Amino acid sequence: MNIAFAEIQETIRMVQMESLDIRTVTMGISLKDCIDPDFEKMNERVYNKITTYAGELRSVAEQVEKEYGIPIINKRISITPVAELLGHATKDEAVELAKTLDRAAQFLGVDFIGGFSALVHKGITKGDQTLLDALPEALSVTERVCASVSVATTRTGINMDAVQLMGKIIKESSERTKDANGIACAKLVVFCNPVEDNPFMAGAFHGTGEGEAVINVGVSGPGVVLNALKRHKDADFGEISEVIKKTVFKITRAGEMIGRVVADRLNLPFGIMDLSLAPTNALNDSVAEILEEMGLERVGTHGTIAALALMNDAVKKGGAMASSYVGGLSGAFIPVSEDNGMIKGIEDNSLSLSKLEAMTCVCSVGLDMIALTGDVSPATLSGLISDEMAIGMINKKTTAVRVIPVPGKQEGDMVEFGGLLGRAPVMGVNPFSSEKFIQRGGRIPAPLQSLIN
């Protein structure tokens, strides 16, 4: 991969002036060969394999970071969905395995380990049920373990029994960590059409179609895109698209170069580049501010979805030109707590929960890092999940829900989650009940779009 000197100079400017960073280098590890009917043996194998494969992940990433001058913010691990390992394990053993994963992550010095997960979009196995039963406790007694549950796909429809369970699990997880603003829910994602090579947390897992181990990279540059647009104040939308495409091309080139160097030094294959623009609470590192730079007075006003669609499309086109190994989610994250512009939009009453839901029709992910009132019911949470799953199912795209009911908090309160998770204004939900709808259970059939053969 040849990088011109001019590209290097421009990358340095992006890092120093525009908050360019490698958001995450994530090592995916298969744990299929750790499965054993003897839980103690399996537990030990899991710990040993993770700590062996990822033993140098942090040190190598830090070395590359210093050599190339591009910050690598997070070092992470994703693993085989844990439900596939559990077999006849008990709930207590599943919680013990979560503690083992947490201990391995702490030993390695990585930020998160993802894959305490289950894929139940068509049905629930014994191992899946054990993991679901263990989720609230597992997330409340660990710090670095992240979980995800797939409840819907375009090919299978929506498993409404699983959706109903997830509403209860989110509520219980929140209550178990009420002294920390329900923080367990920040580590739990409910998916439609999840991808197997996502490097971002909390939804990362190492899919069954993946190899033994791989390095996946998530690069982020909202600040770079924002600054590029600021240099083109009078551009029309076609020109704006070109500016974003060219900027993301450069960001992707830099990210793939770093990812390949890390993979080479760890003697692992390079997997994919996730193009997602992931905001932070840093100044001018906001997706919402990109949309406002296009001419919106505040994110959430009329025109927001069109602006987001333009940006997301341009990001994908620019990244696809730069790399043949684009994967993950690749588009735009709109996490409320991690984006100062989104927070401002809610505070100014320009951005509502309904508008955020509508925006997910054209962005990569879904309802992300949204704080909800503590009295929200499990059925309402399930209703919220079912709406988002339907958007993903019908549009043949990945959607997700990561919401945090905050015990004791009311609409308009501000809660602090700390670190990369940021802060969020508490949002209210529709006061009318979804209880009878959710109690019907069963499966919403796959749409006509599933018949693609």
Side-chain angles (χ1 to χ4, degrees), residues 22-283:
I22 307 299
R23 187 54 48 84
T24 181
V25 170
T26 301
M27 179 184 290
I29 304 173
S30 172
L31 298 183
K32 294 176 185 177
D33 58 345
C34 297
I35 296 173
D36 194 293
D38 185 322
F39 177 78
E40 293 302 324
K41 288 182 180 178
M42 182 178 72
N43 200 33
E44 183 179 1
R45 286 178 180 176
V46 165
Y47 182 86
N48 289 340
K49 184 165 187 180
I50 292 172
T51 53
T52 298
Y53 270 76
E56 297 183 1
L57 174 61
R58 179 173 177 173
S59 61
V60 167
E62 289 176 347
Q63 182 183 18
V64 172
E65 178 181 21
K66 290 177 182 177
E67 286 182 23
Y68 287 84
I70 299 179
I72 300 175
I73 306 301
N74 293 288
K75 298 83 180 173
R76 298 165 172 170
I77 296 169
S78 64
I79 58 173
T80 303
V82 165
E84 297 179 14
L85 280 64
L86 293 178
H88 293 285
T90 65
K91 171 187 168 183
D92 289 342
E93 288 172 334
V95 172
E96 188 61 34
L97 185 55
K99 292 178 181 178
T100 297
L101 298 175
D102 204 46
R103 187 160 47 92
Q106 185 174 12
F107 173 78
L108 295 167
V110 298
D111 301 278
F112 289 110
I113 183 165
F116 198 76
S117 306
L119 310 179
V120 297
H121 37 259
K122 199 172 182 182
I124 300 175
T125 67
K126 291 180 180 178
D128 294 330
Q129 189 63 58
T130 299
L131 183 130
L132 294 173
D133 291 342
L135 266 177
E137 182 178 354
L139 292 175
S140 64
V141 298
T142 58
E143 293 183 4
R144 308 186 192 204
V145 173
C146 291
S148 59
V149 180
S150 169
V151 300
T153 71
T154 298
R155 298 303 296 266
T156 63
I158 305 173
N159 184 346
M160 291 299 291
D161 294 325
V163 168
Q164 183 178 19
L165 280 173
M166 291 313 300
K168 296 175 181 177
I169 288 168
I170 291 171
K171 185 71 173 181
E172 184 182 343
S173 300
S174 170
E175 292 294 336
R176 282 178 174 268
T177 51
K178 61 184 178 182
D179 293 337
N181 291 326
I183 194 67
C185 300
K187 301 183 293 174
L188 174 61
V189 178
V190 186
F191 269 126
C192 175
N193 293 324
V195 297
E196 297 188 332
D197 53 9
N198 171 21
F200 285 102
M201 300 294 169
F205 62 86
H206 189 70
T208 55
E210 296 289 310
E212 192 67 20
V214 67
I215 294 293
N216 297 317
V217 175
V219 65
S220 180
V224 181
V225 173
L226 177 61
N227 277 280
L229 290 182
K230 285 181 176 180
R231 295 192 290 271
H232 296 80
K233 292 287 187 183
D234 299 320
D236 66 22
F237 287 118
E239 293 167 335
I240 285 175
S241 178
E242 288 301 310
V243 169
I244 295 174
K245 282 163 56 180
K246 291 175 181 177
T247 304
V248 172
F249 178 91
K250 297 166 187 173
I251 293 170
T252 304
R253 293 265 287 179
E256 181 166 340
M257 178 189 71
I258 295 298
R260 287 188 177 279
V261 170
V262 172
D264 183 63
R265 294 187 183 181
L266 291 170
N267 197 29
L268 292 175
F270 174 78
I272 58 92
M273 268 293 309
D274 190 310
L275 307 175
S276 301
L277 292 185
T280 69
N281 289 125
L283 184 66

